Amino acid sequence: YLHDFVYAKNIQAFKMRPGRNNIVLGKMEDGTFHVTRNNKYGSGMLTPIVESNALAIFNEEVSNVKEEEFIKVILFESLPLAKENDSIN
């Protein structure tokens, strides 16, 4: 299933590992994306998921996101769509 996305302004610059797809947890508030824990958490940590209500997916070409940059965000509350859309930044 593909999920619908919204555009949001990123509030805090953050980095990701280059050369791979990355999923970044965050919180959406009033049209802005706040990255969870400065994008520093382990794959087994559950607390960052509880602290988040959205995520952003980035392809292998993206290694950092700047402050004030608009990104595509998937909200946890949204339902998956059966139609095709481009949900990767």
Side-chain angles (χ1 to χ4, degrees):
Y1 289 98
L2 298 172
H3 292 270
D4 201 9
F5 61 86
V6 297
Y7 284 97
K9 186 190 298 187
N10 182 50
I11 294 300
Q12 176 186 353
F14 60 91
K15 295 183 180 184
M16 298 166 285
R17 287 191 172 180
R20 68 180 197 181
N21 292 328
N22 288 281
I23 297 174
V24 177
L25 293 169
K27 188 157 189 87
M28 275 288 292
E29 295 176 334
D30 299 322
T32 59
F33 182 79
H34 302 261
V35 66
T36 299
R37 298 183 179 211
N38 200 26
N39 199 32
K40 295 181 181 174
Y41 44 83
S43 61
M45 295 175 67
L46 297 177
T47 307
I49 295 172
V50 174
E51 296 171 347
S52 305
N53 69 358
L55 58 84
I57 303 172
F58 298 91
N59 65 34
E60 65 274 356
E61 297 170 3
V62 180
S63 61
N64 61 29
V65 176
K66 299 176 184 171
E67 184 178 338
E68 304 284 318
E69 185 175 341
F70 280 88
I71 60 174
K72 295 176 188 175
V73 175
I74 299 170
L75 301 174
F76 288 167
E77 299 91 31
S78 64
L79 298 173
L81 300 174
K83 65 181 183 177
E84 187 173 330
N85 68 19
D86 185 14
S87 60
I88 295 180
N89 287 296

